[in-house]
mmCIF file of all heavy atoms in Angstrom:
data_model
loop_
_atom_site.group_PDB
_atom_site.id
_atom_site.type_symbol
_atom_site.label_atom_id
_atom_site.label_comp_id
_atom_site.label_asym_id
_atom_site.label_seq_id
_atom_site.Cartn_x
_atom_site.Cartn_y
_atom_site.Cartn_z
ATOM 1 N N THR A 1096 0.812 -1.182 -0.018
ATOM 2 C CA THR A 1096 -0.009 0.019 0.032
ATOM 3 C C THR A 1096 0.874 1.259 -0.013
ATOM 4 O O THR A 1096 1.980 1.279 0.569
ATOM 5 C CB THR A 1096 -0.904 0.029 1.234
ATOM 6 O OG1 THR A 1096 -0.124 0.076 2.432
ATOM 7 C CG2 THR A 1096 -1.837 -1.128 1.238
ATOM 8 N N LEU A 1097 0.426 2.297 -0.654
ATOM 9 C CA LEU A 1097 1.055 3.548 -0.680
ATOM 10 C C LEU A 1097 -0.031 4.629 -0.743
ATOM 11 O O LEU A 1097 -0.771 4.802 -1.717
ATOM 12 C CB LEU A 1097 1.900 3.696 -1.926
ATOM 13 C CG LEU A 1097 2.600 5.008 -2.153
ATOM 14 C CD1 LEU A 1097 3.599 5.308 -1.085
ATOM 15 C CD2 LEU A 1097 3.257 5.043 -3.544
ATOM 16 N N ASP A 1098 -0.209 5.330 0.369
ATOM 17 C CA ASP A 1098 -1.327 6.273 0.593
ATOM 18 C C ASP A 1098 -2.641 5.526 0.325
ATOM 19 O O ASP A 1098 -2.886 4.552 0.990
ATOM 20 C CB ASP A 1098 -1.139 7.454 -0.385
ATOM 21 C CG ASP A 1098 0.133 8.270 -0.091
ATOM 22 O OD1 ASP A 1098 0.526 8.278 1.119
ATOM 23 O OD2 ASP A 1098 0.752 8.774 -1.029
ATOM 24 N N ASN A 1099 -3.378 5.907 -0.658
ATOM 25 C CA ASN A 1099 -4.662 5.230 -0.934
ATOM 26 C C ASN A 1099 -4.534 4.273 -2.141
ATOM 27 O O ASN A 1099 -5.548 3.839 -2.702
ATOM 28 C CB ASN A 1099 -5.745 6.255 -1.244
ATOM 29 C CG ASN A 1099 -6.138 7.002 -0.004
ATOM 30 O OD1 ASN A 1099 -6.089 6.461 1.113
ATOM 31 N ND2 ASN A 1099 -6.498 8.226 -0.172
ATOM 32 N N ASN A 1100 -3.315 3.968 -2.532
ATOM 33 C CA ASN A 1100 -3.110 3.070 -3.677
ATOM 34 C C ASN A 1100 -2.681 1.697 -3.194
ATOM 35 O O ASN A 1100 -2.034 1.490 -2.163
ATOM 36 C CB ASN A 1100 -2.023 3.689 -4.602
ATOM 37 C CG ASN A 1100 -2.411 4.983 -5.106
ATOM 38 O OD1 ASN A 1100 -3.433 5.139 -5.763
ATOM 39 N ND2 ASN A 1100 -1.557 5.983 -4.877
ATOM 40 N N VAL A 1101 -3.005 0.683 -3.978
ATOM 41 C CA VAL A 1101 -2.685 -0.690 -3.655
ATOM 42 C C VAL A 1101 -2.012 -1.397 -4.816
ATOM 43 O O VAL A 1101 -2.450 -1.213 -6.006
ATOM 44 C CB VAL A 1101 -3.951 -1.467 -3.244
ATOM 45 C CG1 VAL A 1101 -3.632 -2.968 -3.053
ATOM 46 C CG2 VAL A 1101 -4.600 -0.909 -2.065
ATOM 47 N N MET A 1102 -0.940 -2.129 -4.546
ATOM 48 C CA MET A 1102 -0.294 -2.934 -5.581
ATOM 49 C C MET A 1102 -0.137 -4.313 -4.975
ATOM 50 O O MET A 1102 0.312 -4.523 -3.808
ATOM 51 C CB MET A 1102 1.117 -2.371 -5.931
ATOM 52 C CG MET A 1102 1.832 -3.174 -6.991
ATOM 53 S SD MET A 1102 3.406 -2.486 -7.423
ATOM 54 C CE MET A 1102 4.430 -2.954 -6.006
ATOM 55 N N LEU A 1103 -0.432 -5.364 -5.767
ATOM 56 C CA LEU A 1103 -0.221 -6.716 -5.347
ATOM 57 C C LEU A 1103 1.120 -7.206 -5.927
ATOM 58 O O LEU A 1103 1.422 -7.030 -7.060
ATOM 59 C CB LEU A 1103 -1.316 -7.621 -5.895
ATOM 60 C CG LEU A 1103 -2.773 -7.344 -5.430
ATOM 61 C CD1 LEU A 1103 -3.714 -8.350 -5.988
ATOM 62 C CD2 LEU A 1103 -2.880 -7.255 -3.905
ATOM 63 N N GLN A 1104 1.959 -7.752 -5.093
ATOM 64 C CA GLN A 1104 3.194 -8.333 -5.513
ATOM 65 C C GLN A 1104 2.975 -9.870 -5.387
ATOM 66 O O GLN A 1104 2.918 -10.461 -4.311
ATOM 67 C CB GLN A 1104 4.364 -7.910 -4.597
ATOM 68 C CG GLN A 1104 5.697 -8.601 -4.971
ATOM 69 C CD GLN A 1104 6.752 -8.322 -3.919
ATOM 70 O OE1 GLN A 1104 6.575 -7.568 -2.970
ATOM 71 N NE2 GLN A 1104 7.848 -9.076 -4.034
ATOM 72 N N ILE A 1105 2.860 -10.495 -6.579
ATOM 73 C CA ILE A 1105 2.564 -11.945 -6.604
ATOM 74 C C ILE A 1105 3.798 -12.693 -6.985
ATOM 75 O O ILE A 1105 4.429 -12.488 -8.065
ATOM 76 C CB ILE A 1105 1.430 -12.221 -7.599
ATOM 77 C CG1 ILE A 1105 0.212 -11.333 -7.338
ATOM 78 C CG2 ILE A 1105 1.035 -13.668 -7.638
ATOM 79 C CD1 ILE A 1105 -0.861 -11.373 -8.381
ATOM 80 N N GLN A 1106 4.238 -13.621 -6.116
ATOM 81 C CA GLN A 1106 5.453 -14.361 -6.283
ATOM 82 C C GLN A 1106 5.085 -15.861 -6.603
ATOM 83 O O GLN A 1106 4.306 -16.467 -5.838
ATOM 84 C CB GLN A 1106 6.320 -14.320 -5.058
ATOM 85 C CG GLN A 1106 6.810 -12.909 -4.742
ATOM 86 C CD GLN A 1106 7.625 -12.828 -3.451
ATOM 87 O OE1 GLN A 1106 7.235 -13.421 -2.429
ATOM 88 N NE2 GLN A 1106 8.678 -12.084 -3.461
ATOM 89 N N SER A 1107 5.598 -16.294 -7.698
ATOM 90 C CA SER A 1107 5.187 -17.706 -8.156
ATOM 91 C C SER A 1107 6.249 -18.329 -8.934
ATOM 92 O O SER A 1107 7.324 -17.745 -9.202
ATOM 93 C CB SER A 1107 3.906 -17.517 -9.114
ATOM 94 O OG SER A 1107 4.166 -16.732 -10.212
ATOM 95 N N SER A 1108 6.057 -19.588 -9.293
ATOM 96 C CA SER A 1108 7.020 -20.364 -10.055
ATOM 97 C C SER A 1108 6.857 -20.224 -11.507
ATOM 98 O O SER A 1108 7.573 -20.827 -12.293
ATOM 99 C CB SER A 1108 6.964 -21.854 -9.663
ATOM 100 O OG SER A 1108 5.654 -22.348 -9.920
ATOM 101 N N ARG A 1109 5.874 -19.391 -11.944
ATOM 102 C CA ARG A 1109 5.640 -19.159 -13.357
ATOM 103 C C ARG A 1109 4.948 -17.814 -13.483
ATOM 104 O O ARG A 1109 4.317 -17.344 -12.502
ATOM 105 C CB ARG A 1109 4.733 -20.210 -13.978
ATOM 106 C CG ARG A 1109 3.360 -20.339 -13.179
ATOM 107 C CD ARG A 1109 2.460 -21.426 -13.779
ATOM 108 N NE ARG A 1109 1.251 -21.611 -12.938
ATOM 109 C CZ ARG A 1109 0.208 -20.786 -12.962
ATOM 110 N NH1 ARG A 1109 0.212 -19.758 -13.771
ATOM 111 N NH2 ARG A 1109 -0.829 -20.966 -12.167
ATOM 112 N N PRO A 1110 5.035 -17.128 -14.621
ATOM 113 C CA PRO A 1110 4.348 -15.890 -14.794
ATOM 114 C C PRO A 1110 2.824 -16.084 -14.879
ATOM 115 O O PRO A 1110 2.405 -17.156 -15.371
ATOM 116 C CB PRO A 1110 4.930 -15.320 -16.138
ATOM 117 C CG PRO A 1110 5.447 -16.554 -16.854
ATOM 118 C CD PRO A 1110 5.909 -17.484 -15.740
ATOM 119 N N LEU A 1111 2.102 -15.182 -14.377
ATOM 120 C CA LEU A 1111 0.622 -15.225 -14.438
ATOM 121 C C LEU A 1111 0.043 -14.379 -15.521
ATOM 122 O O LEU A 1111 0.607 -13.382 -15.896
ATOM 123 C CB LEU A 1111 0.047 -14.831 -13.069
ATOM 124 C CG LEU A 1111 0.605 -15.524 -11.869
ATOM 125 C CD1 LEU A 1111 -0.042 -14.975 -10.589
ATOM 126 C CD2 LEU A 1111 0.342 -17.014 -11.909
ATOM 127 N N ASP A 1112 -1.098 -14.838 -16.081
ATOM 128 C CA ASP A 1112 -1.675 -14.008 -17.156
ATOM 129 C C ASP A 1112 -2.884 -13.205 -16.604
ATOM 130 O O ASP A 1112 -3.426 -13.466 -15.491
ATOM 131 C CB ASP A 1112 -2.209 -14.902 -18.326
ATOM 132 C CG ASP A 1112 -3.236 -15.951 -17.841
ATOM 133 O OD1 ASP A 1112 -4.303 -15.543 -17.296
ATOM 134 O OD2 ASP A 1112 -2.969 -17.160 -18.029
ATOM 135 N N SER A 1113 -3.266 -12.192 -17.345
ATOM 136 C CA SER A 1113 -4.260 -11.233 -16.868
ATOM 137 C C SER A 1113 -5.614 -11.921 -16.690
ATOM 138 O O SER A 1113 -6.395 -11.499 -15.829
ATOM 139 C CB SER A 1113 -4.356 -10.046 -17.796
ATOM 140 O OG SER A 1113 -4.657 -10.570 -19.109
ATOM 141 N N THR A 1114 -5.932 -12.908 -17.529
ATOM 142 C CA THR A 1114 -7.265 -13.551 -17.428
ATOM 143 C C THR A 1114 -7.426 -14.243 -16.075
ATOM 144 O O THR A 1114 -8.447 -14.116 -15.372
ATOM 145 C CB THR A 1114 -7.469 -14.559 -18.557
ATOM 146 O OG1 THR A 1114 -7.292 -13.876 -19.831
ATOM 147 C CG2 THR A 1114 -8.797 -15.208 -18.474
ATOM 148 N N ALA A 1115 -6.389 -15.024 -15.702
ATOM 149 C CA ALA A 1115 -6.471 -15.706 -14.370
ATOM 150 C C ALA A 1115 -6.509 -14.738 -13.232
ATOM 151 O O ALA A 1115 -7.280 -14.940 -12.272
ATOM 152 C CB ALA A 1115 -5.200 -16.614 -14.237
ATOM 153 N N LEU A 1116 -5.803 -13.648 -13.384
ATOM 154 C CA LEU A 1116 -5.828 -12.649 -12.265
ATOM 155 C C LEU A 1116 -7.186 -11.958 -12.180
ATOM 156 O O LEU A 1116 -7.718 -11.838 -11.081
ATOM 157 C CB LEU A 1116 -4.763 -11.605 -12.558
ATOM 158 C CG LEU A 1116 -3.330 -12.006 -12.126
ATOM 159 C CD1 LEU A 1116 -2.303 -11.063 -12.691
ATOM 160 C CD2 LEU A 1116 -3.269 -11.977 -10.563
ATOM 161 N N GLN A 1117 -7.707 -11.605 -13.305
ATOM 162 C CA GLN A 1117 -9.009 -10.914 -13.284
ATOM 163 C C GLN A 1117 -10.106 -11.817 -12.765
ATOM 164 O O GLN A 1117 -11.052 -11.386 -12.078
ATOM 165 C CB GLN A 1117 -9.375 -10.407 -14.644
ATOM 166 C CG GLN A 1117 -10.513 -9.365 -14.664
ATOM 167 C CD GLN A 1117 -10.185 -8.125 -13.887
ATOM 168 O OE1 GLN A 1117 -9.440 -7.295 -14.263
ATOM 169 N NE2 GLN A 1117 -10.712 -8.027 -12.670
ATOM 170 N N THR A 1118 -10.020 -13.120 -13.072
ATOM 171 C CA THR A 1118 -10.929 -14.081 -12.530
ATOM 172 C C THR A 1118 -10.872 -14.198 -11.056
ATOM 173 O O THR A 1118 -11.908 -14.339 -10.332
ATOM 174 C CB THR A 1118 -10.760 -15.465 -13.183
ATOM 175 O OG1 THR A 1118 -10.861 -15.372 -14.617
ATOM 176 C CG2 THR A 1118 -11.695 -16.484 -12.657
ATOM 177 N N ALA A 1119 -9.636 -14.153 -10.531
ATOM 178 C CA ALA A 1119 -9.480 -14.313 -9.065
ATOM 179 C C ALA A 1119 -9.729 -13.058 -8.261
ATOM 180 O O ALA A 1119 -10.060 -13.145 -7.052
ATOM 181 C CB ALA A 1119 -8.044 -14.756 -8.812
ATOM 182 N N LEU A 1120 -9.735 -11.915 -8.945
ATOM 183 C CA LEU A 1120 -9.904 -10.620 -8.280
ATOM 184 C C LEU A 1120 -11.263 -10.002 -8.575
ATOM 185 O O LEU A 1120 -11.640 -9.924 -9.689
ATOM 186 C CB LEU A 1120 -8.792 -9.658 -8.682
ATOM 187 C CG LEU A 1120 -7.344 -10.022 -8.273
ATOM 188 C CD1 LEU A 1120 -6.389 -9.108 -8.993
ATOM 189 C CD2 LEU A 1120 -7.185 -9.990 -6.751
ATOM 190 N N PRO A 1121 -11.906 -9.550 -7.543
ATOM 191 C CA PRO A 1121 -13.216 -8.866 -7.770
ATOM 192 C C PRO A 1121 -13.038 -7.346 -8.121
ATOM 193 O O PRO A 1121 -14.006 -6.645 -8.332
ATOM 194 C CB PRO A 1121 -13.907 -9.010 -6.429
ATOM 195 C CG PRO A 1121 -12.795 -9.038 -5.419
ATOM 196 C CD PRO A 1121 -11.649 -9.712 -6.129
ATOM 197 N N TRP A 1122 -11.751 -6.891 -8.232
ATOM 198 C CA TRP A 1122 -11.553 -5.515 -8.480
ATOM 199 C C TRP A 1122 -10.938 -5.320 -9.850
ATOM 200 O O TRP A 1122 -10.226 -6.185 -10.357
ATOM 201 C CB TRP A 1122 -10.626 -4.895 -7.439
ATOM 202 C CG TRP A 1122 -11.154 -5.112 -6.042
ATOM 203 C CD1 TRP A 1122 -12.121 -4.421 -5.396
ATOM 204 C CD2 TRP A 1122 -10.671 -6.086 -5.119
ATOM 205 N NE1 TRP A 1122 -12.350 -4.910 -4.183
ATOM 206 C CE2 TRP A 1122 -11.456 -5.941 -3.924
ATOM 207 C CE3 TRP A 1122 -9.706 -7.059 -5.125
ATOM 208 C CZ2 TRP A 1122 -11.267 -6.720 -2.789
ATOM 209 C CZ3 TRP A 1122 -9.468 -7.843 -4.052
ATOM 210 C CH2 TRP A 1122 -10.269 -7.680 -2.908
ATOM 211 N N LYS A 1123 -11.077 -4.148 -10.418
ATOM 212 C CA LYS A 1123 -10.473 -3.859 -11.691
ATOM 213 C C LYS A 1123 -8.986 -3.672 -11.612
ATOM 214 O O LYS A 1123 -8.501 -3.063 -10.668
ATOM 215 C CB LYS A 1123 -11.141 -2.607 -12.265
ATOM 216 C CG LYS A 1123 -10.672 -2.210 -13.692
ATOM 217 C CD LYS A 1123 -11.315 -0.961 -14.164
ATOM 218 C CE LYS A 1123 -10.719 -0.574 -15.560
ATOM 219 N NZ LYS A 1123 -11.290 0.728 -16.041
ATOM 220 N N ILE A 1124 -8.267 -4.229 -12.568
ATOM 221 C CA ILE A 1124 -6.811 -4.123 -12.600
ATOM 222 C C ILE A 1124 -6.475 -2.908 -13.485
ATOM 223 O O ILE A 1124 -7.027 -2.732 -14.529
ATOM 224 C CB ILE A 1124 -6.208 -5.400 -13.203
ATOM 225 C CG1 ILE A 1124 -6.530 -6.597 -12.376
ATOM 226 C CG2 ILE A 1124 -4.729 -5.221 -13.368
ATOM 227 C CD1 ILE A 1124 -6.096 -7.911 -12.967
ATOM 228 N N ILE A 1125 -5.514 -2.118 -12.975
ATOM 229 C CA ILE A 1125 -4.987 -1.037 -13.759
ATOM 230 C C ILE A 1125 -3.890 -1.602 -14.736
ATOM 231 O O ILE A 1125 -2.884 -2.127 -14.183
ATOM 232 C CB ILE A 1125 -4.373 0.089 -12.900
ATOM 233 C CG1 ILE A 1125 -5.409 0.634 -11.946
ATOM 234 C CG2 ILE A 1125 -3.790 1.158 -13.717
ATOM 235 C CD1 ILE A 1125 -4.895 1.673 -11.022
#
C-alpha cells in the first residue's frame, strides 16, 4: 500500500496471465 493506492506483489514459479488474475480478483486491474 502507498497512501490510498494498492499494488499486489505476486510471487510464483511461473508468470501469471491477466485472465487468471481478473478471474481471481473482484476489483478492476490497472
Side-chain angles (χ1 to χ4, degrees):
T1096 59
L1097 177 66
D1098 298 326
N1099 290 328
N1100 300 303
V1101 175
M1102 180 179 75
L1103 301 182
Q1104 177 192 351
I1105 305 171
Q1106 300 177 314
S1107 60
S1108 58
R1109 57 180 174 79
L1111 304 178
D1112 60 58
S1113 57
T1114 302
L1116 278 166
Q1117 193 61 77
T1118 300
L1120 295 171
W1122 305 283
K1123 182 180 178 182
I1124 298 173
I1125 300 176

